[in-house]
Coordinates of all heavy atoms in Angstrom, one line a residue:
M1292 N 48.6 -110.2 -95.2 CA 47.4 -109.5 -94.8 C 47.4 -108.1 -95.3 O 46.4 -107.6 -95.8 CB 47.4 -109.6 -93.2 CG 46.3 -108.8 -92.6 SD 44.8 -109.7 -92.5 CE 43.9 -108.7 -91.5
K1293 N 48.6 -107.4 -95.2 CA 48.7 -106.0 -95.6 C 48.5 -105.9 -97.1 O 47.9 -105.0 -97.6 CB 50.1 -105.5 -95.2 CG 50.2 -104.0 -95.3 CD 51.5 -103.6 -94.7 CE 51.6 -102.1 -94.7 NZ 52.8 -101.6 -94.1
T1294 N 49.0 -106.9 -97.9 CA 48.9 -106.9 -99.3 C 47.4 -107.1 -99.7 O 46.9 -106.5 -100.7 CB 49.7 -108.1 -99.9 OG1 51.1 -107.9 -99.5 CG2 49.7 -108.1 -101.5
M1295 N 46.7 -108.0 -99.0 CA 45.3 -108.2 -99.3 C 44.5 -106.9 -99.0 O 43.6 -106.5 -99.8 CB 44.7 -109.3 -98.5 CG 45.2 -110.7 -98.9 SD 44.7 -112.0 -97.8 CE 43.0 -111.9 -98.0
L1296 N 44.8 -106.2 -98.0 CA 44.1 -105.0 -97.6 C 44.4 -103.9 -98.7 O 43.5 -103.2 -99.1 CB 44.6 -104.4 -96.3 CG 43.9 -103.2 -95.8 CD1 42.4 -103.4 -95.7 CD2 44.4 -102.8 -94.4
S1297 N 45.6 -103.8 -99.1 CA 46.0 -102.9 -100.2 C 45.2 -103.2 -101.5 O 44.7 -102.3 -102.2 CB 47.5 -102.9 -100.5 OG 48.2 -102.4 -99.4
A1298 N 45.2 -104.5 -101.8 CA 44.4 -104.9 -103.0 C 43.0 -104.5 -102.9 O 42.3 -104.1 -103.9 CB 44.6 -106.3 -103.3
A1299 N 42.4 -104.8 -101.8 CA 41.0 -104.4 -101.6 C 40.7 -102.9 -101.7 O 39.7 -102.5 -102.3 CB 40.5 -105.0 -100.2
L1300 N 41.6 -102.1 -101.1 CA 41.5 -100.7 -101.2 C 41.6 -100.2 -102.6 O 40.9 -99.3 -103.0 CB 42.5 -100.0 -100.3 CG 42.2 -100.1 -98.8 CD1 43.4 -99.5 -98.0 CD2 40.9 -99.4 -98.4
L1301 N 42.5 -100.8 -103.3 CA 42.7 -100.4 -104.7 C 41.4 -100.8 -105.5 O 41.0 -100.0 -106.3 CB 43.9 -101.1 -105.3 CG 44.2 -100.9 -106.8 CD1 44.5 -99.4 -107.1 CD2 45.4 -101.7 -107.3
A1302 N 40.9 -101.9 -105.3 CA 39.7 -102.4 -106.0 C 38.5 -101.5 -105.7 O 37.8 -101.1 -106.6 CB 39.4 -103.8 -105.7
A1303 N 38.4 -101.1 -104.4 CA 37.3 -100.2 -104.0 C 37.4 -98.9 -104.6 O 36.4 -98.3 -105.1 CB 37.2 -100.2 -102.5
S1304 N 38.6 -98.3 -104.6 CA 38.8 -97.0 -105.2 C 38.6 -97.0 -106.7 O 38.0 -96.0 -107.3 CB 40.2 -96.4 -104.8 OG 41.2 -97.2 -105.4
T1305 N 39.0 -98.0 -107.4 CA 38.7 -98.2 -108.8 C 37.2 -98.2 -109.1 O 36.7 -97.6 -110.0 CB 39.4 -99.4 -109.4 OG1 40.8 -99.3 -109.1 CG2 39.2 -99.6 -110.9
L1306 N 36.5 -99.0 -108.3 CA 35.1 -99.1 -108.5 C 34.4 -97.8 -108.3 O 33.5 -97.4 -109.0 CB 34.5 -100.2 -107.5 CG 33.0 -100.4 -107.5 CD1 32.6 -100.9 -108.9 CD2 32.6 -101.3 -106.4
I1307 N 34.8 -97.1 -107.2 CA 34.2 -95.7 -106.9 C 34.5 -94.8 -108.1 O 33.6 -94.1 -108.5 CB 34.7 -95.2 -105.6 CG1 34.2 -96.0 -104.5 CG2 34.4 -93.7 -105.4 CD1 34.8 -95.8 -103.1
A1308 N 35.7 -94.8 -108.6 CA 36.1 -93.9 -109.7 C 35.3 -94.2 -111.0 O 34.8 -93.3 -111.6 CB 37.6 -94.0 -110.0
T1309 N 35.2 -95.5 -111.3 CA 34.4 -95.8 -112.5 C 32.9 -95.6 -112.4 O 32.3 -95.3 -113.3 CB 34.7 -97.2 -113.0 OG1 34.4 -98.1 -111.9 CG2 36.2 -97.4 -113.4
T1310 N 32.4 -95.8 -111.2 CA 31.0 -95.6 -110.9 C 30.7 -94.1 -111.1 O 29.7 -93.7 -111.7 CB 30.6 -96.1 -109.5 OG1 30.9 -97.5 -109.4 CG2 29.1 -95.8 -109.3
G1311 N 31.5 -93.2 -110.6 CA 31.3 -91.8 -110.8 C 31.3 -91.4 -112.2 O 30.5 -90.6 -112.6
L1312 N 32.2 -92.0 -113.0 CA 32.2 -91.6 -114.4 C 31.0 -92.2 -115.1 O 30.4 -91.5 -116.0 CB 33.5 -92.2 -115.1 CG 34.8 -91.6 -114.7 CD1 36.0 -92.4 -115.3 CD2 34.9 -90.2 -115.0
A1313 N 30.5 -93.3 -114.8 CA 29.3 -93.9 -115.4 C 28.1 -93.0 -115.0 O 27.3 -92.8 -115.8 CB 29.1 -95.3 -114.9
S1314 N 28.1 -92.5 -113.8 CA 27.0 -91.7 -113.4 C 27.0 -90.4 -114.2 O 25.9 -89.9 -114.6 CB 27.2 -91.3 -111.9 OG 26.3 -92.0 -111.1
A1315 N 28.1 -89.8 -114.4 CA 28.2 -88.6 -115.2 C 27.7 -88.8 -116.6 O 27.0 -88.0 -117.2 CB 29.6 -88.1 -115.2
D1316 N 28.1 -90.0 -117.2 CA 27.6 -90.3 -118.5 C 26.1 -90.6 -118.5 O 25.4 -90.1 -119.4 CB 28.4 -91.6 -119.1 CG 29.8 -91.3 -119.4 OD1 30.2 -90.1 -119.6 OD2 30.6 -92.3 -119.5
D1317 N 25.6 -91.3 -117.5 CA 24.2 -91.5 -117.4 C 23.4 -90.2 -117.3 O 22.3 -90.1 -117.8 CB 23.9 -92.5 -116.3 CG 24.3 -93.9 -116.6 OD1 24.7 -94.2 -117.7 OD2 24.3 -94.7 -115.6
A1318 N 24.0 -89.3 -116.5 CA 23.3 -88.0 -116.3 C 23.1 -87.3 -117.6 O 22.1 -86.8 -117.9 CB 24.0 -87.2 -115.2
K1319 N 24.2 -87.3 -118.4 CA 24.2 -86.6 -119.7 C 23.2 -87.3 -120.6 O 22.4 -86.7 -121.3 CB 25.6 -86.5 -120.3 CG 25.6 -85.8 -121.6 CD 26.9 -85.8 -122.2 CE 27.0 -85.1 -123.6 NZ 25.8 -85.0 -124.4
D1320 N 23.3 -88.7 -120.6 CA 22.4 -89.4 -121.5 C 20.9 -89.2 -121.1 O 20.1 -89.1 -122.0 CB 22.7 -90.9 -121.4 CG 24.0 -91.3 -122.1 OD1 24.6 -90.4 -122.8 OD2 24.6 -92.4 -121.8
C1321 N 20.7 -89.1 -119.8 CA 19.3 -88.8 -119.3 C 18.9 -87.5 -119.8 O 17.8 -87.3 -120.3 CB 19.3 -88.9 -117.8 SG 17.7 -88.6 -117.1
T1322 N 19.7 -86.5 -119.6 CA 19.3 -85.1 -120.0 C 19.1 -85.0 -121.5 O 18.1 -84.4 -122.0 CB 20.5 -84.1 -119.6 OG1 20.6 -84.2 -118.2 CG2 20.1 -82.7 -120.0
D1323 N 20.0 -85.7 -122.3 CA 19.8 -85.7 -123.7 C 18.5 -86.5 -124.1 O 17.9 -86.1 -125.1 CB 21.0 -86.4 -124.4 CG 22.3 -85.6 -124.3 OD1 22.2 -84.4 -124.0 OD2 23.4 -86.2 -124.6
G1324 N 18.2 -87.5 -123.4 CA 17.0 -88.3 -123.6 C 15.7 -87.5 -123.4 O 14.8 -87.5 -124.2
V1325 N 15.7 -86.7 -122.3 CA 14.6 -85.8 -122.1 C 14.4 -84.8 -123.2 O 13.3 -84.6 -123.7 CB 14.8 -85.1 -120.7 CG1 13.8 -83.9 -120.6 CG2 14.7 -86.0 -119.5
A1326 N 15.5 -84.3 -123.7 CA 15.5 -83.3 -124.8 C 14.9 -84.0 -126.1 O 14.1 -83.5 -126.8 CB 16.9 -82.7 -125.1
M1327 N 15.3 -85.3 -126.3 CA 14.9 -86.1 -127.5 C 13.4 -86.3 -127.4 O 12.6 -86.1 -128.4 CB 15.6 -87.4 -127.5 CG 15.2 -88.3 -128.7 SD 13.7 -89.4 -128.4 CE 14.2 -90.3 -127.0
I1328 N 12.9 -86.6 -126.2 CA 11.4 -86.9 -126.0 C 10.7 -85.6 -126.3 O 9.7 -85.6 -127.0 CB 11.1 -87.4 -124.6 CG1 11.8 -88.7 -124.3 CG2 9.6 -87.5 -124.4 CD1 11.8 -89.2 -122.9
K1329 N 11.2 -84.5 -125.8 CA 10.5 -83.2 -126.0 C 10.5 -82.9 -127.5 O 9.4 -82.4 -128.1 CB 11.2 -82.0 -125.3 CG 11.0 -82.1 -123.8 CD 11.7 -81.0 -123.1 CE 11.4 -81.0 -121.6 NZ 12.2 -79.9 -120.9
A1330 N 11.5 -83.2 -128.2 CA 11.6 -82.9 -129.7 C 10.6 -83.8 -130.4 O 9.9 -83.3 -131.4 CB 13.0 -83.2 -130.2
E1331 N 10.4 -85.0 -130.0 CA 9.5 -85.9 -130.6 C 8.1 -85.5 -130.3 O 7.2 -85.6 -131.2 CB 9.7 -87.4 -130.1 CG 11.0 -88.0 -130.6 CD 11.0 -88.2 -132.1 OE1 10.0 -88.3 -132.8 OE2 12.2 -88.1 -132.7
I1332 N 7.8 -85.0 -129.1 CA 6.5 -84.5 -128.8 C 6.1 -83.3 -129.7 O 5.0 -83.1 -130.2 CB 6.4 -84.1 -127.3 CG1 6.3 -85.4 -126.5 CG2 5.1 -83.3 -127.0 CD1 6.5 -85.2 -125.0
A1333 N 7.1 -82.4 -129.9 CA 6.9 -81.2 -130.8 C 6.6 -81.6 -132.2 O 6.0 -80.7 -132.9 CB 8.2 -80.4 -130.7
K1334 N 6.8 -82.8 -132.7 CA 6.5 -83.2 -134.0 C 5.0 -83.6 -134.2 O 4.6 -84.0 -135.3 CB 7.4 -84.4 -134.4 CG 8.9 -84.1 -134.5 CD 9.7 -85.3 -134.9 CE 11.1 -85.1 -134.9 NZ 11.9 -86.3 -135.2
A1335 N 4.3 -83.5 -133.1 CA 2.9 -83.8 -133.1 C 2.6 -85.2 -133.6 O 1.9 -85.4 -134.6 CB 2.1 -82.8 -133.8
P1336 N 3.1 -86.3 -132.9 CA 2.8 -87.6 -133.4 C 1.4 -88.0 -133.1 O 0.6 -87.3 -132.5 CB 3.8 -88.5 -132.5 CG 3.9 -87.6 -131.2 CD 3.8 -86.2 -131.7
P1337 N 1.0 -89.2 -133.6 CA -0.4 -89.7 -133.4 C -0.7 -89.8 -131.9 O 0.3 -90.0 -131.1 CB -0.4 -91.1 -134.0 CG 0.7 -91.1 -135.0 CD 1.7 -90.1 -134.4
K1338 N -1.9 -89.7 -131.5 CA -2.3 -89.7 -130.1 C -1.7 -90.8 -129.3 O -1.2 -90.6 -128.1 CB -3.8 -89.6 -129.9 CG -4.2 -89.5 -128.4 CD -5.7 -89.4 -128.3 CE -6.2 -89.3 -126.8 NZ -5.3 -89.5 -125.7
S1339 N -1.8 -92.0 -129.8 CA -1.3 -93.1 -129.0 C 0.2 -93.0 -128.7 O 0.7 -93.3 -127.6 CB -1.5 -94.5 -129.7 OG -0.9 -94.5 -130.9
T1340 N 1.0 -92.5 -129.7 CA 2.4 -92.3 -129.5 C 2.6 -91.1 -128.6 O 3.5 -91.2 -127.7 CB 3.1 -92.1 -130.9 OG1 2.9 -93.2 -131.7 CG2 4.6 -91.8 -130.7
L1341 N 1.8 -90.1 -128.8 CA 2.0 -88.9 -127.9 C 1.7 -89.2 -126.4 O 2.5 -88.8 -125.6 CB 1.0 -87.8 -128.4 CG 1.0 -86.5 -127.6 CD1 2.4 -85.8 -127.7 CD2 -0.1 -85.6 -128.1
D1342 N 0.7 -90.1 -126.2 CA 0.5 -90.5 -124.8 C 1.7 -91.2 -124.2 O 2.1 -91.0 -123.0 CB -0.8 -91.4 -124.7 CG -2.1 -90.7 -125.1 OD1 -2.1 -89.4 -125.0 OD2 -3.1 -91.3 -125.3
K1343 N 2.3 -92.1 -125.0 CA 3.4 -92.8 -124.5 C 4.6 -91.9 -124.2 O 5.4 -92.0 -123.3 CB 3.8 -93.9 -125.5 CG 2.8 -95.1 -125.5 CD 3.2 -96.1 -126.6 CE 2.1 -97.1 -126.8 NZ 2.3 -98.0 -127.9
L1344 N 4.8 -90.9 -125.2 CA 5.9 -90.0 -125.0 C 5.7 -89.1 -123.8 O 6.7 -88.8 -123.1 CB 6.0 -89.1 -126.3 CG 6.5 -89.8 -127.5 CD1 6.4 -88.9 -128.7 CD2 8.0 -90.3 -127.3
N1345 N 4.5 -88.6 -123.6 CA 4.2 -87.8 -122.4 C 4.4 -88.6 -121.1 O 5.0 -88.0 -120.2 CB 2.8 -87.2 -122.4 CG 2.6 -86.1 -123.4 OD1 3.5 -85.2 -123.5 ND2 1.5 -86.0 -124.1
K1346 N 4.0 -89.8 -121.1 CA 4.3 -90.6 -119.9 C 5.8 -90.8 -119.7 O 6.3 -90.7 -118.5 CB 3.6 -92.0 -120.1 CG 3.8 -92.9 -118.9 CD 3.0 -94.2 -119.1 CE 3.3 -95.1 -117.9 NZ 2.6 -96.5 -118.1
A1347 N 6.5 -91.1 -120.7 CA 7.9 -91.3 -120.6 C 8.6 -90.0 -120.2 O 9.6 -90.0 -119.4 CB 8.5 -91.8 -122.0
L1348 N 8.2 -88.9 -120.7 CA 8.7 -87.6 -120.4 C 8.5 -87.3 -118.9 O 9.5 -86.9 -118.2 CB 8.2 -86.5 -121.2 CG 8.7 -85.0 -120.9 CD1 10.2 -85.0 -121.1 CD2 7.9 -84.0 -121.7
R1349 N 7.3 -87.5 -118.4 CA 7.1 -87.3 -116.9 C 8.0 -88.1 -116.1 O 8.6 -87.7 -115.1 CB 5.6 -87.6 -116.6 CG 4.6 -86.5 -117.0 CD 3.2 -86.7 -116.4 NE 2.7 -88.0 -116.7 CZ 2.0 -88.4 -117.8 NH1 1.8 -87.4 -118.8 NH2 1.5 -89.6 -118.0
G1350 N 8.1 -89.4 -116.4 CA 8.9 -90.3 -115.7 C 10.4 -90.0 -115.7 O 11.1 -90.0 -114.7
A1351 N 10.9 -89.7 -116.9 CA 12.3 -89.3 -117.1 C 12.6 -88.0 -116.3 O 13.7 -88.0 -115.7 CB 12.6 -89.2 -118.6
Q1352 N 11.8 -87.0 -116.4 CA 12.0 -85.8 -115.7 C 12.0 -86.0 -114.2 O 12.9 -85.5 -113.5 CB 11.0 -84.7 -116.1 CG 11.2 -84.2 -117.5 CD 10.2 -83.2 -117.9 OE1 9.0 -83.3 -117.6 NE2 10.6 -82.2 -118.6
R1353 N 11.1 -86.9 -113.7 CA 11.1 -87.2 -112.3 C 12.3 -87.8 -111.8 O 13.0 -87.5 -110.8 CB 9.8 -88.0 -112.0 CG 9.7 -88.4 -110.5 CD 8.6 -89.3 -110.2 NE 8.8 -90.6 -110.8 CZ 8.0 -91.1 -111.8 NH1 7.0 -90.5 -112.2 NH2 8.3 -92.3 -112.3
E1354 N 12.8 -88.9 -112.6 CA 14.0 -89.6 -112.2 C 15.2 -88.7 -112.4 O 16.2 -88.9 -111.6 CB 14.1 -90.9 -113.1 CG 12.9 -91.8 -112.9 CD 12.7 -92.3 -111.4 OE1 13.6 -92.2 -110.6 OE2 11.6 -92.7 -111.1
L1355 N 15.2 -87.8 -113.3 CA 16.4 -86.9 -113.5 C 16.5 -86.0 -112.3 O 17.5 -85.8 -111.7 CB 16.2 -86.1 -114.7 CG 17.3 -85.0 -115.0 CD1 18.6 -85.6 -115.2 CD2 16.9 -84.2 -116.3
G1356 N 15.3 -85.5 -111.8 CA 15.3 -84.7 -110.6 C 15.8 -85.5 -109.3 O 16.4 -84.9 -108.4
E1357 N 15.5 -86.8 -109.3 CA 15.9 -87.6 -108.2 C 17.3 -88.2 -108.4 O 17.8 -88.9 -107.5 CB 14.9 -88.7 -108.0 CG 13.5 -88.3 -107.6 CD 12.5 -89.4 -107.6 OE1 12.8 -90.6 -107.8 OE2 11.3 -89.1 -107.3
K1358 N 17.9 -87.8 -109.5 CA 19.3 -88.3 -109.8 C 19.3 -89.9 -109.9 O 20.3 -90.5 -109.6 CB 20.3 -87.8 -108.9 CG 20.4 -86.3 -108.9 CD 21.5 -85.7 -108.1 CE 21.4 -84.2 -108.2 NZ 22.4 -83.5 -107.4
E1359 N 18.2 -90.4 -110.3 CA 18.1 -91.9 -110.6 C 18.3 -92.1 -112.1 O 17.3 -92.4 -112.8 CB 16.8 -92.4 -110.1 CG 16.6 -92.4 -108.6 CD 17.5 -93.3 -107.9 OE1 18.0 -94.3 -108.5 OE2 17.8 -93.1 -106.7
Y1360 N 19.5 -91.9 -112.6 CA 19.7 -91.9 -114.0 C 19.4 -93.2 -114.7 O 18.9 -93.2 -115.9 CB 21.2 -91.4 -114.3 CG 21.5 -90.1 -113.6 CD1 22.5 -90.0 -112.7 CD2 20.7 -89.0 -113.9 CE1 22.8 -88.8 -112.1 CE2 20.9 -87.8 -113.3 CZ 22.0 -87.7 -112.4 OH 22.2 -86.5 -111.7
D1361 N 19.7 -94.3 -114.1 CA 19.4 -95.6 -114.7 C 17.9 -95.7 -115.0 O 17.5 -96.2 -116.0 CB 20.0 -96.8 -113.9 CG 19.4 -96.8 -112.5 OD1 19.1 -95.8 -111.9 OD2 19.4 -97.9 -111.9
E1362 N 17.1 -95.3 -114.0 CA 15.6 -95.4 -114.2 C 15.2 -94.3 -115.2 O 14.2 -94.6 -116.0 CB 14.9 -95.2 -112.9 CG 15.2 -96.3 -111.9 CD 14.6 -96.1 -110.5 OE1 13.5 -95.4 -110.4 OE2 15.1 -96.7 -109.6
C1363 N 15.8 -93.2 -115.3 CA 15.5 -92.2 -116.3 C 15.7 -92.8 -117.7 O 14.9 -92.6 -118.6 CB 16.4 -91.0 -116.1 SG 16.3 -89.7 -117.4
L1364 N 16.8 -93.5 -117.8 CA 17.2 -94.1 -119.1 C 16.2 -95.2 -119.5 O 15.9 -95.4 -120.7 CB 18.6 -94.6 -119.1 CG 19.7 -93.5 -119.0 CD1 21.0 -94.1 -118.9 CD2 19.6 -92.6 -120.2
D1365 N 15.5 -95.8 -118.6 CA 14.5 -96.8 -118.9 C 13.3 -96.0 -119.5 O 12.8 -96.5 -120.5 CB 14.0 -97.5 -117.6 CG 15.0 -98.4 -117.0 OD1 15.9 -98.9 -117.8 OD2 14.9 -98.8 -115.8
F1366 N 13.0 -94.9 -119.0 CA 11.9 -94.1 -119.6 C 12.3 -93.6 -121.0 O 11.5 -93.5 -121.9 CB 11.5 -92.9 -118.7 CG 10.6 -93.3 -117.6 CD1 11.2 -93.4 -116.3 CD2 9.3 -93.7 -117.7 CE1 10.4 -93.7 -115.2 CE2 8.5 -94.1 -116.6 CZ 9.1 -94.1 -115.4
V1367 N 13.5 -93.2 -121.2 CA 14.0 -92.8 -122.5 C 13.9 -93.9 -123.5 O 13.4 -93.7 -124.6 CB 15.5 -92.2 -122.4 CG1 16.1 -92.0 -123.8 CG2 15.5 -91.0 -121.6
R1368 N 14.3 -95.1 -123.1 CA 14.2 -96.3 -124.0 C 12.7 -96.5 -124.3 O 12.4 -96.9 -125.5 CB 14.8 -97.5 -123.4 CG 16.3 -97.5 -123.5 CD 16.9 -98.8 -123.0 NE 16.9 -98.9 -121.6 CZ 17.9 -98.4 -120.8 NH1 18.9 -97.7 -121.3 NH2 17.8 -98.6 -119.5
D1369 N 11.8 -96.4 -123.4 CA 10.4 -96.5 -123.6 C 9.9 -95.5 -124.7 O 9.2 -95.9 -125.6 CB 9.5 -96.3 -122.4 CG 9.7 -97.4 -121.4 OD1 10.2 -98.5 -121.7 OD2 9.3 -97.2 -120.2
A1370 N 10.4 -94.3 -124.6 CA 10.0 -93.3 -125.6 C 10.6 -93.6 -127.0 O 9.9 -93.5 -128.0 CB 10.6 -91.9 -125.2
Q1371 N 11.8 -94.2 -127.0 CA 12.4 -94.5 -128.3 C 11.6 -95.7 -128.9 O 11.4 -95.7 -130.2 CB 13.9 -95.0 -128.1 CG 14.8 -93.8 -127.7 CD 16.2 -94.3 -127.3 OE1 16.3 -95.4 -126.7 NE2 17.1 -93.4 -127.4
K1372 N 11.2 -96.6 -128.1 CA 10.3 -97.7 -128.7 C 9.0 -97.1 -129.2 O 8.5 -97.6 -130.3 CB 10.0 -98.7 -127.6 CG 11.2 -99.6 -127.2 CD 10.9 -100.5 -126.1 CE 12.1 -101.2 -125.6 NZ 11.7 -102.1 -124.4
A1373 N 8.4 -96.2 -128.5 CA 7.1 -95.6 -128.9 C 7.3 -94.9 -130.3 O 6.4 -95.0 -131.1 CB 6.6 -94.6 -127.9
V1374 N 8.4 -94.3 -130.5 CA 8.6 -93.5 -131.8 C 8.9 -94.5 -132.9 O 8.4 -94.3 -134.0 CB 9.8 -92.6 -131.6 CG1 10.2 -92.0 -132.9 CG2 9.5 -91.5 -130.6
K1375 N 9.5 -95.6 -132.7 CA 9.8 -96.6 -133.7 C 8.6 -97.3 -134.2 O 8.6 -97.8 -135.4 CB 10.8 -97.6 -133.2 CG 12.2 -97.0 -133.1 CD 13.2 -98.0 -132.6 CE 14.6 -97.4 -132.4 NZ 15.6 -98.3 -132.0
K1376 N 7.5 -97.4 -133.4 CA 6.3 -98.2 -133.9 C 5.5 -97.4 -134.9 O 5.4 -96.3 -135.0 CB 5.5 -98.5 -132.6 CG 6.2 -99.6 -131.8 CD 5.3 -100.0 -130.6 CE 6.0 -101.1 -129.8 NZ 5.2 -101.5 -128.7

């Protein structure tokens, strides 16, 4: 019983530690993504692309402020797709 509890605590602490690191990476990726979107907007793309980039930027900034980095990265990916078309 004691061994199982120790194993469970070790697994939980490992999960917490790796989740914190992933969050830090996601936060940086989100911030970098917002900067990338702004840079693409500054290039004055065609209106249809610009509309998609502006929408992605608004969403990414909102999610960054809410610290919802995974959702922020969804908006960054949307912006990347808009630029590739």
Side-chain angles (χ1 to χ4, degrees):
M1292 174 87 168
K1293 194 173 185 180
T1294 305
M1295 289 175 59
L1296 181 59
S1297 294
L1300 288 173
L1301 178 62
S1304 64
T1305 301
L1306 178 62
I1307 291 168
T1309 57
T1310 301
L1312 292 175
S1314 255
D1316 288 343
D1317 286 350
K1319 182 181 179 332
D1320 291 344
C1321 178
T1322 301
D1323 291 347
V1325 167
M1327 178 275 302
I1328 297 170
K1329 289 179 179 179
E1331 290 298 328
I1332 289 171
K1334 294 178 183 177
K1338 183 175 178 351
S1339 62
T1340 302
L1341 181 61
D1342 291 344
K1343 291 174 186 175
L1344 290 172
N1345 281 324
K1346 181 179 178 183
L1348 179 61
R1349 283 191 306 273
Q1352 288 177 321
R1353 181 183 64 245
E1354 298 304 336
L1355 178 61
E1357 294 175 1
K1358 297 183 181 177
E1359 294 290 339
Y1360 305 120
D1361 57 333
E1362 293 177 27
C1363 171
L1364 293 174
D1365 289 339
F1366 284 106
V1367 170
R1368 282 188 284 277
D1369 290 346
Q1371 290 169 332
K1372 288 178 189 174
V1374 172
K1375 288 182 182 179
K1376 289 184 177 180

